[in-house]
Amino acid sequence: MKVLVTDPVADAGLERLREAGYEVTIDYEIEGDELLEAVSDVHGLIVRSGTEVTKEVFEAASELIIVGRAGIGVDNIDIEAATDHGVIVANAPEGNVRAAAEHTVAMAFAVARSIPQAHARLKDGEWAKSDYLGTEVNNKTLGIVGLGRVGQEVAKRLDSLGMDLVVFDPYISQERAQQFGATLVDDLGDCLAQADFVTIHTPLLPETENMISKEELELMDGGYLINCARGGIVDETALADAVANGTIEGAALDVFAEEPVPEDSPLLAVDDIIVTPHLGAATEAAQENVAIDTAEQLIAAFNQEPVLNA
Ligand code: NAD
Ligand code: MLT
């Protein structure tokens, strides 16, 4: 069996595939026609969020059995085309959850205390102490949009830091929210209006695309928005405007509608929007976990055994 790996995946997983006797080819730069040619004889393809696995890829990959997503979001994979071609798509839904939650908490503090801005100015030789008066999370309300795996871990951490939690998630029960010390509301607007900090943890779906736009940001009336879930859930032009004109205090973004973010993105021009380059899952432990989980799923598929996260 041949496996092509087109986004950076930890060695621990690739080693497991080699030990199982598979031929593993790594090419992190490949795209376009070269990708279509490279997939023509592979049985497994491993990606993260960087590779778009399109209908054309499935059409070209006549031997393909499984696409392994070494992470959670499968929005870069055309699932319908995979189904049409009888290809399994399996993600690694657990291994990077804590890393993503920790990054979200770090982003909340970073934006509320202007840490990146103050850091940059001090590195430039400026002692800008009097320019920064931050906000504490203690006694503030956190609005969580999407109380799934990552949202729950964020809830636990910020609850323990003194925040009140309000959740919007149409697919969970009030009892479930209460297990995390949160109140479930059945309207996104209520969640945004009550919150001092809003954090997004939904998948990118047709129903969540641009779910937070100008109107929703106006409901926040101040406060901070954190998105470590997926670009495209928040309307970026509306967000840049809302922070620039003071509708909200600031935003912290790890994910973007277009990655890498173009240099002329309006988001980069607004000082109170802090950004990281999709680092939510970028810890050694998380990358090792998802690489191993993904490798195991390829091995199961090749052995015609059940694939757990298909
Ligand atoms: P999950 O599937 O466990 O949870 C998603 C939650 O969103 C569910 O509870 C679901 O009911 C809820 N939801 C769905 N549609 C909704 C809607 N319209 N409104 C409100 N809630 C809705 O997913 P997860 O593992 O918690 O991951 C959450 C997001 O974080 C995904 O987009 C994932 O790709 C992303 N993620 C990003 C990074 C990163 O590196 N930045 C790392 C891990 C995960
Ligand atoms: C995910 O959905 O798991 C994230 O995109 C993490 C990643 O692969 O970088």
Side-chain angles (χ1 to χ4, degrees):
M1 294 287 181
K2 291 185 178 176
V3 178
L4 177 64
V5 185
T6 57
D7 290 317
V9 171
D11 282 343
L14 306 183
E15 219 25 68
R16 202 158 281 204
L17 292 168
R18 291 192 191 100
E19 279 162 16
Y22 306 131
E23 185 185 319
V24 178
T25 305
I26 297 172
D27 193 335
Y28 298 151
E29 303 298 322
I30 202 162
E31 55 184 359
D33 288 346
E34 280 175 11
L35 175 62
L36 298 185
E37 201 182 318
V39 294
S40 65
D41 64 346
V42 303
H43 306 94
L45 175 64
I46 298 185
V47 301
R48 283 178 61 199
S49 58
T51 303
E52 288 293 322
V53 191
T54 59
K55 188 168 165 246
E56 289 71 33
V57 171
F58 287 104
E59 280 163 3
S62 55
E63 308 294 315
L64 193 60
I65 296 170
I66 179 166
V67 178
R69 163 61 165 109
I72 295 171
V74 289
D75 43 283
N76 55 321
I77 302 170
D78 187 334
I79 303 290
E80 210 178 300
T83 308
D84 288 346
H85 289 82
V87 176
I88 301 166
V89 175
N91 70 348
E94 303 281 353
N96 67 25
V97 167
R98 282 155 300 279
E102 287 187 11
H103 195 68
T104 304
V105 174
M107 292 293 263
F109 280 119
V111 72
R113 304 299 289 269
S114 304
I115 290 171
Q117 297 91 331
H119 167 92
R121 288 176 69 183
L122 186 49
K123 288 275 181 165
D124 275 350
E126 204 184 341
W127 188 259
K129 178 170 170 151
S130 56
D131 284 354
Y132 297 109
L133 192 63
T135 303
E136 293 175 25
V137 301
N138 183 45
N139 278 336
K140 299 291 190 314
T141 299
L142 175 70
I144 303 177
V145 181
L147 194 69
R149 291 183 180 88
V150 179
Q152 290 169 14
E153 291 300 317
V154 170
K156 286 190 222 162
R157 284 158 177 75
L158 287 172
D159 180 44
S160 75
L161 291 169
M163 296 196 87
D164 295 326
L165 310 182
V166 55
V167 165
F168 174 70
D169 187 328
Y171 305 106
I172 66 160
S173 63
Q174 186 66 258
E175 292 69 36
R176 186 79 182 135
Q178 279 165 359
Q179 284 171 1
F180 294 90
T183 305
L184 184 70
V185 291
D186 56 15
D187 181 62
L188 174 61
D190 284 349
C191 178
L192 301 177
Q194 288 182 46
D196 302 295
F197 289 75
V198 171
T199 185
I200 314 288
H201 299 289
T202 70
L204 175 63
L205 303 166
E207 120 192 43
T208 60
E209 196 172 350
N210 287 330
M211 179 190 211
I212 307 287
S213 197
K214 183 171 186 282
E215 201 182 312
E216 288 74 26
L217 292 163
E218 280 167 1
L219 290 172
M220 282 177 63
D221 189 23
Y224 299 91
L225 180 85
I226 303 141
N227 184 9
C228 293
R230 272 295 173 279
I233 298 171
V234 179
D235 177 332
E236 293 180 347
T237 308
L239 179 65
D241 288 348
V243 179
N245 68 27
T247 304
I248 69 169
E249 299 285 335
L253 306 174
D254 185 47
V255 287
F256 305 89
E258 188 180 338
E259 295 184 7
V261 182
E263 271 174 43
D264 58 357
S265 165
L267 298 169
L268 303 183
V270 183
D271 194 45
D272 290 327
I273 297 181
I274 66 163
V275 290
T276 48
H278 204 143
L279 291 183
T283 68
E284 235 171 80
Q287 285 313 306
E288 194 162 304
N289 293 339
V290 297
I292 291 171
D293 289 350
T294 304
E296 282 175 354
Q297 301 201 71
L298 264 77
I299 293 169
F302 293 159
N303 290 331
Q304 297 183 328
E305 288 165 4
V307 176
L308 288 183
N309 301 312

